[in-house]
Amino acid sequence: MYCWNENGESLEFKYKNKLLKDLKRTQSKEIEVNSIAPSGETGVTKNGTNFNPNGYNKLYNKDDELWLDGDFRDSKLYDGKAYICDKDGILLNIEIWRKGKFIEYGNL
């Protein structure tokens, strides 16, 4: 059995030596390694408000679905949530960001 830690390093566990409930559940390795905060410059706000690069924003994608929600610094998500959807608009993950870094996945 293979798992990855928070740094994206591969860890090997043997089932006989470790119970499954003791292993930390991890998601896709590519997303955990990615620590670049999403930029809000391509998002759209509602109600005619302009994007605030240093403040709170609720941004929507081109399909009018919630994409980024939180505080931004230098146009990048600093504290908040990123809603990750597939090409059909189905919500796959909710990423929690704190201090410009990916922390964990939220509940769907």
Side-chain angles (χ1 to χ4, degrees), residues 1 5 13 27-28 31-32 38 43 53-54 59 64 69 72-73 78 84-85 89 102-103 106:
M1 176 181 294
N5 64 12
F13 293 98
Q27 298 278 344
S28 169
I31 295 174
E32 287 190 311
N54 291 303
L59 299 176
D64 205 29
D69 181 17
F72 288 75
R73 289 199 183 164
Y78 189 74
I84 309 302
C85 297
F102 172 76
I103 300 297

Side-chain angles (χ1 to χ4, degrees), residues 10-26:
S10 177
L11 304 173
E12 181 178 353
F13 293 98
K14 294 183 180 176
Y15 178 73
K16 293 178 183 177
N17 297 338
K18 198 94 166 155
L19 293 175
L20 286 177
K21 67 180 182 177
D22 294 336
L23 297 178
K24 183 178 178 181
R25 181 176 176 251
T26 59

Side-chain angles (χ1 to χ4, degrees), residues 26-100:
T26 59
Q27 298 278 344
S28 169
K29 180 180 175 185
E30 294 89 29
I31 295 174
E32 287 190 311
V33 172
N34 181 9
S35 62
I36 299 171
S39 175
E41 293 176 343
T42 60
V44 177
T45 60
K46 286 202 172 183
N47 302 329
T49 59
N50 292 328
F51 172 68
N52 183 2
N54 291 303
Y56 176 78
N57 292 288
K58 221 176 209 189
L59 299 176
Y60 298 82
N61 63 15
K62 62 182 178 178
D63 297 324
D64 205 29
E65 299 163 340
L66 184 60
W67 174 44
L68 299 174
D69 181 17
D71 289 317
F72 288 75
R73 289 199 183 164
D74 298 324
S75 300
K76 302 223 183 254
L77 185 61
Y78 189 74
D79 283 325
K81 296 179 181 180
Y83 297 86
I84 309 302
C85 297
D86 66 4
K87 65 180 179 179
D88 296 323
I90 298 171
L91 183 64
L92 299 175
N93 286 315
I94 299 174
E95 297 177 354
I96 309 294
W97 290 78
R98 297 285 180 253
K99 297 183 180 178

